[in-house]
Amino acid sequence: MAELVELEIITAQRMLVRTQVSEVYVPAANGQAGILHHHLPYTALLGMGEVSYVDASGKRHGLFLRQGLVETADNRVVILAERVVTADELQKDELEKEMREVKQAIRGALSGETSPEELESALARERELDVMQKIVKTSAAST
């Protein structure tokens, strides 16, 4: 049996996860970071991306994180996040619809229908939606 680490994922609104895990992967500002049992103390800013972890039963979970902070010490990982969305909260059809709308806004930049500010926002949202769609796809494949 794998050695376990306590994982807590917290937003301003709720304690989202509190469980024992064998591994955690976070979107650190300098790239993806993996955390296992006996990890050295570590603190990092988190960017937008997927947080994934393997629970004690061996099941992989994926969550969308907008940004936050991770701290690890003494076999405990705490993630403080601005926004977290679980795979269960993501709806494939809604994500696909929003992605079509975002892509339309991006195409509108070519004809001048979309302002530079709107384009910047649309491109950022496209990156978020892409991550969310991958989480939904991975979650569906593992069930």
Side-chain angles (χ1 to χ4, degrees), residues 32-107:
Q32 193 76 3
I35 302 166
L36 302 171
H37 190 264
H38 287 311
H39 196 287
L40 291 172
Y42 174 72
T43 302
L45 292 174
L46 301 176
M48 182 278 297
E50 180 181 10
V51 172
S52 68
Y53 62 92
V54 177
D55 67 23
S57 71
K59 182 177 179 187
R60 180 168 299 279
H61 301 267
L63 309 127
F64 171 79
L65 178 132
R66 174 147 308 135
Q67 62 185 152
L69 175 76
V70 64
E71 182 176 72
T72 183
D74 300 322
N75 290 316
R76 184 169 180 244
V77 179
V78 177
I79 297 172
L80 303 173
E82 173 189 312
R83 178 172 183 226
V84 176
V85 183
T86 67
D88 294 339
E89 295 170 321
L90 296 170
Q91 301 298 317
K92 180 181 177 187
D93 294 340
E94 290 177 24
L95 293 173
E96 289 173 350
K97 179 180 182 248
E98 188 177 353
M99 183 65 94
R100 285 191 300 273
E101 292 168 358
V102 165
K103 288 184 181 290
Q104 182 64 35
I106 293 169
R107 283 191 294 275

Side-chain angles (χ1 to χ4, degrees), residues 4-5 8 28-29 33 47 59 68 71 79 89 102 109 112 123-124 129 139:
L4 301 176
V5 175
E8 292 181 359
K59 182 177 179 187
E71 182 176 72
I79 297 172
E89 295 170 321
V102 165
L123 290 169
L129 290 168
S139 177

